[in-house]
Amino acid sequence: MKKVVNTPQAPAAIGPYSQAISGNGFVFVSGQLPLDPATGEFAEGGIKELTRQSLENIRAILEEAQLKMEDVVKTTVFLTDMADFPEMNIAYAEYFQDAPPARSAVQVCALPKKARIEIEAIAVKPKNKYSTYRRMID
């Protein structure tokens, strides 16, 4: 069973998709542009600030799903210019210091709204110590 995850703390979807979908212990976060959810405009600054905004949007969506950035197991970073990779990597590392998730980074010819970066993520809900016990009694 899948569940839509939606929060006003992240930009609204700009098409027929959900901010994220939760199902089977996974949360699939749609690609997040570096849009400020309060203004709908791109974050000010260079690629570091844009990267941080995309990741803050992911954080807000994960929090709505009761998860943390530490629960992210895979990301994909889309860049319109691979020359931005080193600076993006510096900002990205601020969010994933211990046991960073698997990641792909690719250059694309264009992104929605003429963005320079978009980041998507997959997170896994951690099992609590009662999970096995709950299955036994259910």
Side-chain angles (χ1 to χ4, degrees), residues 33-36 39-45 49-50 53-54 111-117:
L33 299 176
L35 296 171
D36 180 327
T39 66
E41 301 295 324
F42 287 119
E44 291 185 23
E49 290 77 17
L50 296 171
Q53 184 64 58
S54 288
L111 289 167
K113 295 184 160 252
K114 299 182 181 178
R116 292 173 59 190
I117 187 169

Side-chain angles (χ1 to χ4, degrees), residues 53-129:
Q53 184 64 58
S54 288
L55 291 168
E56 285 299 323
N57 294 342
I58 289 171
R59 182 194 312 267
I61 294 166
L62 291 174
E63 286 177 357
E64 183 67 25
Q66 300 177 343
L67 293 174
K68 299 176 182 177
M69 295 297 276
E70 294 83 25
D71 300 318
V72 174
V73 295
K74 172 71 168 80
T75 63
T76 305
V77 178
F78 303 95
L79 296 164
T80 57
D81 187 348
M82 198 53 81
D84 286 336
F85 183 86
E87 293 294 305
M88 174 282 296
N89 214 33
I90 291 168
Y92 181 96
E94 296 169 7
Y95 289 80
F96 301 110
Q97 296 177 4
D98 297 325
R103 179 182 79 184
S104 299
V106 296
Q107 180 173 326
V108 295
C109 65
L111 289 167
K113 295 184 160 252
K114 299 182 181 178
R116 292 173 59 190
I117 187 169
E118 180 176 12
I119 304 174
E120 66 181 21
I122 300 170
V124 177
K125 293 185 178 188
K127 292 185 178 186
N128 64 43
K129 63 182 178 181

